[in-house]
Amino acid sequence: MSVIAAKELRIIGFLCNWCSYGGADTAGISRFKQPTDLRIIRVPCSGRVDPLFIVKALLNGADGVLVSGCHPRDCHYSDGNFYARRRLEMLKRLLPFIGIDERRFHYTWISASEGERWQQVVTDFTKQIHKLGPLHTKTEVRVES
Amino acid sequence: MRVGVFICHCGNNIAGTVDVKKVAEETRRLPGVVYATDYMYTCSEPGQDEIKETIKKEGLDRVVVASCSPRMHEVTFRRTVEKGGLNRYFLEMANIREHISWVGEDKELNTNKAIEAVRIAVAKVMRNKPLYSKSFKVNKRVLIIGGGVAGMQAALDCADGNLEVLLVEKSPSVGGMMARLDKTFPTIDCSICILGPKMVDVAQHEKIKLYAYSEIEEIKGYVGNYQIKIRKKATYVDWSKCTGCGECMEKCPTKNAYDHFNFGVAPTRAINIPFPQAIPKKAKIDPKYCRQFLKGKCGVCAKICPTGAINYEMQDEIVTEEVGAIIVASGYGLIDMDRLPEYGGGRYPDVITGIQYERLLNASGPTSGHILRPSDKTEPKTVVFVSCAGSRDKSIGIPYCSNFCCMYIAKQAILTKDHIPDSRSYVFYIDIRSSGKGYDEFVRRAQEDYGVNYIRGRVSRIYPKGKKMVVRGADTLLGTQVEIEADLVVLATAVTAAPGAAELAEKLHISYDTFGFYVESHPKLRPVETNTSGVFLAGAAQGPKDIPASVCQGSAAASKVLALFSRDTLESDPAIAQVNTNACVGCLKCVETCPFGAIKEKELRDGRVVAEVIETVCAGCGICTSTCPCGAIQLQHFTDNQLLAEVNTLCQS
Ligand SMILES: Cc1cc2nc3c(=O)[nH]c(=O)nc-3n(C[C@H](O)[C@H](O)[C@H](O)COP(=O)(O)OP(=O)(O)OC[C@H]3O[C@@H](n4cnc5c(N)ncnc54)[C@H](O)[C@@H]3O)c2cc1C
Ligand code: SF4
Ligand code: SF4
């Protein structure tokens, strides 16, 4: 059992090691309370996140996916997040074509010092996914061919 | 596969809100897991010993530690498993403290989430491959950016440790803010008298190469092997000829140039030497004011210069250097008075900043050390100091304390009394922060021996009334409003990040906080390191700091570099990209996207063109991996297989 029924939904977060994973750590160190639904996968850079990971996650059982990296121009690898931004923005626009509400996917930038912002993002995104409800109990196909 | 899982209580930090026993129990059922236990402090010596022993006893070939953030202890546990006989990449960590026990309130939900975190780690670790570092040679030269007291201290310590040092300072002289100060708290010794000799040492040390009036153009490479481009800005004076005699400055007809060194307290000439003790003591032209540049005629300095050093045609020059480590000591800035409208916003000549007041106090300053009001050049008899002018004020976006103003206000109030014995000084303060050695005694001396009036409360407004400035504020101890008619008002303006701090951080790939100060690797345990290996921090670039703290950190950063360079070779991080030449179709999209230029094309024996990763240059970001249409180039330790295993684990259950 992955999530506790009726309390949680499945949300997967891809966080870059340098900024956002650190931001989530900072939120922890500051004890900023958050909903528990999100599960974190650590990646070196938001630029490492292949849009296919997100599609696979959403098709296979996740109800929401969050990607977070360093602020543009503040990337540990100089411009990984610029690549991420282009790819992820494209993905966001394509999601409806595979029948997935694009609000189930969110990408953002959080630095290692922004624990408070991380708390806010997790809380808001979790709320949004709960508002949309579980993905796999309904068919979300909206686009007409 | 035989995976062992160690779940840490972290005292009560984890065990308090996660049922660690249950996590261990559930974990034991996972395929591949042959052993799972919980332990009070896994990172402690007995905790690590237990891991090592269990690897042997249970024949483990993979280890998962569920504890704090890998950003905290991954290195520790990698070492542990290595000592236990495994490749260090056969370790994964599940962050159940920062990401779970500390942020979730419901024990049932936390426990479930922790089980999941362990499941992902197990799925990942089963796909980990052994990776081996290669060693590479270290270039034992160090670049120091910023020639304030912190940077100079670091430069001298490194140079005394026999390293070759490049010191890049963007202004025409080293010295930074400290060179502008009159005396320093809490000893009231003359600032330039203690700094001057250091500046001379920097200039004369055979191991230090000083690039004054220069900036960093570009930084490439990695720890041990950085390539740096330095822009030597045009001074329009050939410094190899200039003797610093100052004749040009005397004869220059342009008398209204802005004086950066004196923060505009008095104007300077278009060609100038910033201050008498400048190092290097060389002249430079400010083309914004020079008639030769503005009107195309004048040329007085060229005519007067006894060595013929003036060259109006000079261009910026770019030089390339190679170093193995970098210390950033670029210091701080101060907010503009424009951002303080309630204090006049810079409109009243007799409301000045603390650093401008230092220049008035200073014997080699524009008034030769006589305190004169800017408006009518008379000696002020009533001086009001306003602390926290912008600091600790959320409304202007500076919630933090500027750290040294309380102390320099006390110093300046004492010095005011020394200069003008019949003067009265008032200090408006919110709290007095004076926790350094001898600091509180110093503030008390200002109050008790020098009769400085301390008023607890914020100043609400400053406005002119005849020849005086009225300072209106609250006295929160008496519970009344007070108004003081001052001849001169000194604002302790808030400390900010140095101008250009963000741009420099981007070149260095280091992070900065919301306010532009550079972020250290760990606030307690790695205070001078950054997350980019080989880049260290010193001084107020990391946050407001006084001189003793800046010097301390300068030395600390130097010692880190010396430790790094105590070896001839460093080990590379093996978690880099690798090309499967069978799958590569030679589109070379990866070559285009790699931000580090770490991929080149290679021709195989059969004539096929494929991509090849230059191991020492690859930084391990994996951008190429998400670019490759065939999955041919894979970032080791974060391959598609490994990450998808984590995704699938979360989805399938
Ligand atoms: C009014 C006032 C009074 C003070 N009085 C005292 C006192 O009495 N005692 C005390 O302990 N402290 C005092 N201080 C604090 C003191 O100024 C600082 O502690 C000290 O200057 C910090 O040194 P630093 O080297 O970190 O930074 P800085 O002095 O700011 O030096 C940084 C240097 O880096 C250079 N630089 C910046 N960016 C770049 C770049 N991109 N490339 C190249 N170079 C760059 C700058 O030009 C500068 O030379 C006072 C401060 C003020 C404002
Ligand atoms: S992107 Fe992939 S296929 Fe194209 S050259 Fe690079 S490794 Fe080969
Ligand atoms: S992982 Fe790929 S893109 Fe990143 S530095 Fe290495 S080769 Fe370049």
Side-chain angles (χ1 to χ4, degrees):
Chain A
M1 190 179 63
S2 142
V3 293
I4 294 188
K7 287 194 183 161
E8 281 182 339
L9 289 174
R10 287 183 182 92
I11 306 176
I12 300 181
F14 293 95
L15 305 197
C16 83
N17 180 47
W18 304 100
C19 295
S20 297
Y21 197 93
D25 280 358
T26 306
I29 291 159
S30 323
R31 313 294 201 274
F32 292 148
K33 299 297 173 223
Q34 296 151 36
T36 49
D37 312 42
L38 182 89
R39 311 286 189 253
I40 293 172
I41 295 178
R42 182 163 72 131
V43 289
C45 175
S46 53
R48 171 67 189 95
V49 180
D50 192 324
L52 275 178
F53 297 165
I54 298 155
V55 174
K56 284 206 171 153
L58 289 168
L59 291 181
N60 289 350
D63 301 304
V65 175
L66 176 71
V67 176
S68 185
C70 308
H71 286 279
R73 312 211 304 150
D74 193 14
C75 173
H76 185 74
Y77 301 104
S78 115
D79 17 61
N81 49 9
F82 286 126
Y83 288 111
R85 185 165 67 184
R86 266 179 262 165
R87 289 174 188 148
L88 299 175
E89 184 53 40
M90 187 66 103
L91 173 73
K92 202 161 179 62
R93 293 178 198 187
L94 287 175
L95 281 177
F97 292 92
I98 53 169
I100 291 168
D101 191 323
E102 76 268 23
R103 285 171 299 178
R104 294 192 182 275
F105 166 58
H106 183 58
Y107 66 89
T108 186
W109 319 115
I110 291 167
S111 79
S113 59
E114 293 176 325
E116 216 170 331
R117 191 172 135 76
W118 170 251
Q119 175 191 37
Q120 197 60 47
V121 165
V122 175
T123 311
D124 292 350
F125 188 61
T126 310
K127 258 193 213 145
Q128 171 152 313
I129 298 303
H130 276 267
K131 213 160 70 203
L132 293 169
L135 170 58
H136 298 276
T137 52
K138 41 182 172 220
T139 37
E140 278 200 8
V141 184
R142 287 219 232 113
V143 180
E144 281 136 48
S145 55
Chain B
M1 204 147 290
R2 299 183 65 81
V3 185
V5 184
F6 299 83
I7 296 137
C8 184
H9 295 209
C10 194
N12 219 24
N13 283 313
I14 294 170
T17 56
V18 169
D19 182 346
V20 284
K21 294 250 180 295
K22 181 159 181 221
V23 178
E25 211 172 283
E26 291 288 328
T27 303
R28 241 169 258 136
R29 293 189 206 165
L30 297 176
V33 175
V34 295
Y35 183 87
T37 187
D38 56 288
Y39 200 88
M40 191 52 128
Y41 286 108
T42 313
C43 62
S44 67
E45 202 180 313
Q48 293 188 50
D49 285 343
E50 161 134 342
I51 296 178
K52 282 182 259 172
E53 278 154 29
T54 315
I55 290 173
K56 301 225 165 76
K57 216 163 53 204
E58 301 286 335
L60 302 180
D61 52 13
R62 298 285 193 279
V63 171
V64 168
V65 176
S67 58
C68 53
S69 172
R71 283 167 51 104
M72 175 95 187
H73 271 326
E74 193 167 52
V75 177
T76 316
F77 290 119
R78 276 187 178 165
R79 220 178 287 138
T80 312
V81 298
E82 202 163 52
K83 282 190 191 147
L86 300 182
N87 183 277
R88 72 169 93 141
Y89 288 88
F90 284 160
L91 165 89
E92 280 298 321
M93 287 181 74
N95 183 348
I96 61 171
R97 189 178 77 177
E98 280 83 346
H99 294 179
I100 300 181
S101 73
W102 275 345
V103 295
E105 285 162 305
D106 181 316
K107 194 160 184 171
E108 186 199 1
L109 291 173
N110 277 355
T111 305
N112 181 55
K113 188 173 170 183
I115 295 168
E116 291 247 312
V118 173
R119 293 182 57 135
I120 316 176
V122 170
K124 165 94 200 287
V125 85
M126 301 220 299
R127 286 161 184 84
N128 283 8
K129 294 262 155 48
L131 299 176
Y132 303 93
S133 309
K134 292 216 171 101
S135 59
F136 59 90
K137 271 192 90 63
V138 181
N139 180 337
K140 294 187 184 181
R141 299 173 91 211
V142 54
L143 165 72
I144 296 173
I145 305 172
V149 66
M152 287 197 292
Q153 183 66 41
L156 289 169
D157 286 349
C158 287
D160 287 343
N162 220 20
L163 299 181
E164 258 184 73
V165 179
L166 309 175
L167 179 58
V168 174
E169 164 58 52
K170 79 169 166 194
S171 59
S173 167
V174 293
M177 288 288 195
M178 188 177 167
R180 287 146 161 136
L181 306 180
D182 180 37
K183 306 279 189 304
T184 57
F185 62 75
T187 41
I188 316 240
D189 37 11
C190 158
S191 188
I192 199 72
C193 312
I194 52 175
L195 191 70
K198 265 192 197 295
M199 291 164 62
V200 174
D201 286 352
V202 162
Q204 292 183 348
H205 206 298
E206 54 177 14
K207 290 265 168 190
I208 300 177
K209 188 154 154 197
L210 175 61
Y211 284 99
Y213 207 49
S214 300
E215 281 186 61
I216 302 297
E217 185 77 8
E218 187 188 281
I219 299 177
K220 272 189 167 164
Y222 49 94
V223 58
N225 290 287
Y226 286 105
Q227 294 90 44
I228 318 285
K229 285 206 175 114
I230 300 167
R231 176 182 292 272
K232 289 171 77 174
K233 295 181 280 185
T235 55
Y236 308 106
V237 177
D238 182 344
W239 280 11
S240 65
K241 293 185 184 156
C242 175
T243 59
C245 68
E247 299 258 344
C248 52
M249 198 171 165
E250 230 151 79
K251 299 286 168 4
C252 173
T254 309
K255 301 190 170 117
N256 64 340
Y258 182 80
D259 188 346
H260 293 276
F261 184 79
N262 284 313
F263 285 88
V265 172
T268 185
R269 307 293 169 104
I271 185 164
N272 62 69
I273 297 168
F275 59 108
Q277 302 88 343
I279 298 277
K281 193 171 177 185
K282 306 280 177 189
K284 92 163 213 299
I285 295 177
D286 186 341
K288 267 202 214 121
Y289 293 92
C290 172
R291 293 182 190 193
Q292 186 67 35
F293 283 87
L294 294 176
K295 303 208 176 101
K297 59 172 194 257
C298 174
V300 170
C301 51
K303 274 175 229 136
I304 209 85
C305 176
T307 63
I310 313 295
N311 172 8
Y312 302 115
E313 310 293 313
M314 195 184 258
Q315 299 286 325
D316 288 6
E317 194 189 324
I318 308 274
V319 286
T320 346
E321 290 276 11
E322 292 188 341
V323 299
I326 301 171
I327 296 175
V328 198
S330 51
Y332 64 99
L334 294 160
I335 62 162
D336 276 342
M337 284 203 279
D338 302 2
R339 288 175 65 191
L340 304 168
E342 69 277 28
Y343 298 161
R347 276 174 293 133
Y348 309 126
D350 294 331
V351 179
I352 62 171
T353 65
I355 195 77
Q356 290 177 320
Y357 197 57
E358 291 283 343
R359 298 312 297 151
L360 291 183
L361 290 167
N362 195 302
S364 61
T367 56
S368 308
H370 299 297
I371 306 176
L372 299 174
R373 304 204 317 163
S375 63
D376 56 8
K377 311 287 179 236
T378 59
E379 208 169 61
K381 298 295 174 197
T382 310
V383 181
V384 173
F385 295 90
V386 180
S387 67
C388 298
S391 314
R392 305 172 68 198
D393 186 347
K394 270 198 175 167
S395 69
I396 66 162
I398 304 188
Y400 55 86
C401 167
S402 291
N403 181 296
F404 44 68
C405 325
C406 286
M407 289 303 298
Y408 80 60
I409 285 178
K411 168 187 77 174
Q412 294 181 340
I414 288 176
L415 293 173
T416 306
K417 195 77 182 170
D418 278 345
H419 282 246
I420 313 171
D422 62 339
S423 67
R424 293 174 68 82
S425 291
Y426 296 85
V427 173
F428 278 90
Y429 71 101
I430 305 177
D431 309 297
I432 300 175
R433 303 195 163 173
S434 53
S435 59
K437 185 172 168 182
Y439 284 17
D440 209 46
E441 297 89 315
F442 183 78
V443 174
R444 212 157 316 143
R445 209 159 94 216
Q447 295 169 328
E448 290 164 8
D449 301 350
Y450 286 83
V452 180
N453 298 291
Y454 272 73
I455 304 167
R456 188 176 194 277
R458 213 179 244 286
V459 170
S460 55
R461 247 191 95 199
I462 300 173
Y463 57 92
K465 183 174 166 194
K467 291 182 109 186
K468 304 263 183 185
M469 294 303 306
V470 180
V471 183
R472 186 194 289 163
D475 186 328
T476 49
L477 294 179
L478 294 177
T480 55
Q481 283 287 320
V482 279
E483 274 188 2
I484 297 168
E485 294 193 357
D487 299 311
L488 184 65
V489 181
V490 179
L491 304 180
T493 42
V495 169
T496 60
E503 289 79 358
L504 183 60
E506 283 154 21
K507 289 185 184 140
L508 287 159
H509 306 308
I510 60 174
S511 1
Y512 49 95
D513 65 21
T514 329
F515 311 109
F517 293 110
Y518 299 150
V519 177
E520 64 286 342
S521 217
H522 190 281
K524 297 173 190 92
L525 303 177
R526 299 172 53 134
V528 300
E529 282 116 310
T530 67
N531 276 330
T532 301
S533 53
V535 179
F536 304 93
L537 301 175
Q542 186 232 8
K545 244 182 231 107
D546 63 8
I547 296 164
S550 302
V551 170
C552 241
Q553 217 189 1
S555 289
S559 79
K560 287 284 167 192
V561 172
L562 284 162
L564 180 75
F565 288 175
S566 65
R567 299 198 226 149
D568 296 325
T569 56
L570 286 178
E571 294 212 321
S572 66
D573 185 345
I576 55 170
Q578 211 176 56
V579 182
N580 171 356
T581 43
N582 290 330
C584 175
V585 296
C587 68
L588 303 178
K589 285 197 168 72
C590 54
V591 176
E592 269 165 56
T593 47
C594 174
F596 300 92
I599 314 175
K600 59 175 191 219
E601 57 173 286
K602 170 172 112 174
E603 204 180 299
L604 295 179
R605 244 180 286 160
D606 60 7
R608 222 157 44 86
V609 168
V610 293
E612 184 182 47
V613 176
I614 312 164
E615 286 178 26
T616 45
V617 184
C618 174
C621 59
I623 291 163
C624 54
T625 308
S626 352
T627 304
C628 179
C630 346
I633 186 165
Q634 289 288 329
L635 175 65
Q636 301 304 296
H637 210 56
F638 291 97
T639 61
D640 286 343
N641 268 343
Q642 287 169 318
L643 293 176
L644 282 174
E646 295 185 70
V647 172
N648 290 341
T649 305
L650 288 173
C651 291
Q652 279 157 8
S653 45

